């Protein structure tokens, strides 16, 4: 072989940092592979340059005789050459180089990434061996205070910026979620109508109501629409994750809003009131409010009836406060029921024995109490007296 040809051959077989070579495994050591190179020299592939996995056994990744395409990452110099190899080679860096090359011109595309670490300002993610970054503002389409739950998760994100030279890869998950949400909203609104009874899950609770997830749209149940009885705080009667039924009260597709009512799907306190409180029935109740013209007595939860001042006592009283106080337990008789108007007329004195009439009253059939002393109209007085006489 001529000297010129041998020199040319050696020049072709010269290996330098940055080259991609095919190498064959000749030995498996504790933390590295020893490989033979095309020029007859040997190189080493440390476990960290073979895989990103931790605590992995090398013999599960390679066997003697296996061939790998590797990147020449570093030339071994000085005393390190005593180990018997001339280069450090890498499979992971080669994969990263190819991944960067594949990203050229792909801004705007959607790729799948895995969260490797929660860092200041966002999430560090892995894409085909590359380190990417999702800023906190681009992780969700809503505010998030704690990002720790994302560690280890895989999800789709859109490529926002690629700079191979500086190793910069910025991704966006927020816009994907917003697009998916808009698509689901459109699907839900297409099938949703006012008056529908729908099933949903309590997504979150606030002081003013509960947000119900309808599978793409969150509907609001105002606190006044949770129950027929008074609710001070939604959390007193509902909990996150609870399945509920609700009636659609209003749809505002333009702003993505749905108003719901839970109580509209439940029997109200006035349902079957004529059966629960028939005329003539005797009921136990609690005085809830006192007015100048009578007392409102709760006979069932959410059902209050009026005891007109003329029906409180057989004796003349100027105000209900003379004989009643809020919170008093009383027994009442049902005089009249109007389910449509949600009104019940009650009487306390109808269940009490009337006192013996004095001779003076019996002789004077035209006895009248001046209007100024009663606190209610003459018409109410006449109605009360007629009821009294009817008994």
């Amino acid at each position: 072989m001529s000297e010129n040809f041998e020199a040319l051959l050696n020049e072709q077989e010269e290996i330098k940092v940055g080259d991609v070579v095919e190498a064959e495994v000749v030995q498996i050591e504790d933390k590295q592979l020893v490989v033979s190179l095309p020029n007859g020299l040997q190189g080493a592939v440390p476990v960290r340059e073979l895989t990103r996995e931790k605590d992995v056994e090398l013999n599960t990744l390679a066997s003697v005789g296996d061939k790998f395409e590797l990147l020449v990452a570093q030339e071994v110099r000085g005393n390190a050459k005593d180990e018997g190899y001339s280069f450090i080679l890498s499979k992971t860096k080669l994969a990263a180089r190819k991944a960067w090359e594949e990203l050229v011109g792909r801004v705007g595309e959607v790729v799948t990434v895995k969260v490797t670490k929660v860092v200041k300002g966002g999430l560090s993610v892995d894409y085909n061996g590359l380190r990417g970054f999702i800023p906190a503002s681009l992780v969700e389409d809503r505010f998030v205070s704690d990002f720790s739950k994302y560690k280890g998760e895989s999800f789709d994100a859109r490529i926002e910026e690629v700079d191979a030279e500086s190793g910069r890869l910025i991704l966006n998950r927020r816009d994907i979620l917003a697009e998916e949400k808009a698509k689901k909203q459109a699907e839900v609104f297409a099938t949703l109508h006012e008056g529908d009874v729908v099933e949903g899950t309590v997504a979150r609770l606030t002081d003013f109501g509960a947000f119900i997830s309808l599978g793409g749209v969150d509907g609001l149940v105002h606190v006044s629409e949770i129950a027929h009885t008074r609710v001070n705080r939604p959390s007193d009667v509902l909990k996150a994750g609870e399945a509920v039924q609700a009636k659609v009260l209003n749809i505002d597709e333009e702003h993505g809003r749905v108003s719901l009512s839970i109580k509209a799907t439940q029997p109200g306190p006035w349902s079957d009131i004529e059966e629960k409180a028939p005329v003539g029935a005797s009921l136990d109740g609690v005085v809830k409010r006192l007015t100048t013209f009578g007392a409102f007595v709760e006979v069932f939860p959410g059902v209050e009836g009026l005891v007109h001042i003329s029906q409180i006592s057989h004796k003349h009283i100027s105000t209900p406060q003379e004989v009643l106080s809020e919170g008093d337990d009383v027994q009442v008789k049902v005089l009249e029921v109007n389910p449509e108007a949600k009104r019940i007329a009650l009487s306390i004195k109808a269940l009490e024995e009337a006192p013996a009439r004095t001779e003076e009253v019996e002789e004077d059939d035209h006895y009248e109490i001046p209007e100024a002393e009663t606190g209610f109209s003459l018409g109410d007085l006449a109605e009360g007296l007629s009821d009294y006489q009817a008994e």
Side-chain angles (χ1 to χ4, degrees), residues 134-156:
I134 304 180
S137 61
L138 300 181
V139 174
E140 283 282 358
D141 59 350
R142 55 183 173 80
F143 174 76
V144 177
S145 59
D146 183 11
F147 289 93
S148 60
K149 66 178 182 179
Y150 296 99
K151 187 175 181 180
E153 284 192 8
S154 294
F155 47 67
D156 288 343

Side-chain angles (χ1 to χ4, degrees), residues 120-354:
K120 184 178 181 180
L123 301 176
S124 179
V125 299
D126 176 82
Y127 170 67
N128 286 354
L130 301 182
R131 180 184 179 277
F133 178 67
I134 304 180
S137 61
L138 300 181
V139 174
E140 283 282 358
D141 59 350
R142 55 183 173 80
F143 174 76
V144 177
S145 59
D146 183 11
F147 289 93
S148 60
K149 66 178 182 179
Y150 296 99
K151 187 175 181 180
E153 284 192 8
S154 294
F155 47 67
D156 288 343
R158 178 171 286 119
I159 299 172
E160 289 285 315
E161 183 181 343
V162 176
D163 187 342
E165 291 186 7
S166 63
R168 181 179 175 86
L169 173 60
I170 306 298
L171 302 111
N172 179 340
R173 180 173 180 255
R174 181 194 63 196
D175 289 354
I176 292 179
L177 294 177
E179 291 168 5
E180 291 175 350
K181 183 177 180 180
K183 182 179 179 180
K184 289 180 179 179
Q185 279 187 349
E187 293 174 352
V188 172
F189 280 123
T191 59
L192 205 60
H193 306 90
E194 290 185 10
D196 287 349
V197 175
V198 295
E199 293 187 357
T201 304
V202 178
R204 61 188 188 280
L205 299 168
T206 67
D207 290 338
F208 57 84
F211 286 93
I212 311 300
S213 173
L214 303 178
V217 174
D218 283 354
L220 173 64
V221 179
H222 189 268
V223 64
S224 62
E225 292 294 333
I226 291 177
H228 290 287
T229 55
R230 179 179 176 81
V231 175
N232 293 320
R233 293 180 302 177
S235 58
D236 291 339
V237 293
L238 296 172
K239 59 183 179 180
E242 180 180 353
V244 296
Q245 280 193 329
K247 184 177 181 179
V248 179
L249 300 181
N250 180 262
I251 299 173
D252 183 355
E253 187 171 355
E254 181 180 353
H255 297 94
R257 297 172 184 167
V258 179
S259 296
L260 303 171
S261 173
I262 293 176
K263 75 178 185 181
T265 66
Q266 302 170 344
W270 289 87
S271 299
D272 304 323
I273 191 63
E274 288 179 298
E275 296 178 11
K276 295 186 293 186
V279 173
S282 175
L283 304 173
D284 293 325
V286 178
V287 177
K288 288 295 185 180
R289 291 177 292 149
L290 296 173
T291 68
T292 57
F293 55 85
F296 286 93
V297 176
E298 184 180 61
V299 290
F300 298 105
V303 176
E304 292 183 6
L306 172 64
V307 180
H308 191 270
I309 190 170
S310 64
Q311 294 296 322
I312 292 177
S313 175
H314 287 286
K315 67 179 182 179
H316 168 68
I317 58 173
S318 298
T319 64
Q321 287 86 348
E322 291 181 25
V323 292
L324 294 175
S325 299
E326 291 184 3
D328 283 353
D329 293 322
V330 294
Q331 196 171 38
V332 294
K333 181 179 180 180
V334 179
L335 301 180
E336 182 184 350
V337 180
N338 187 335
E340 290 75 19
K342 295 183 178 180
R343 293 177 183 170
I344 299 181
L346 304 171
S347 174
I348 293 176
K349 76 176 187 179
L351 297 176
E352 299 175 348
E353 184 177 354

Side-chain angles (χ1 to χ4, degrees), residues 34-35 40-44 76 79-87:
V34 178
V35 297
L41 297 177
Q42 289 187 337
V76 178
N79 296 333
K81 295 193 71 172
D82 294 339
E83 297 292 333
Y85 49 85
S86 303
F87 297 95

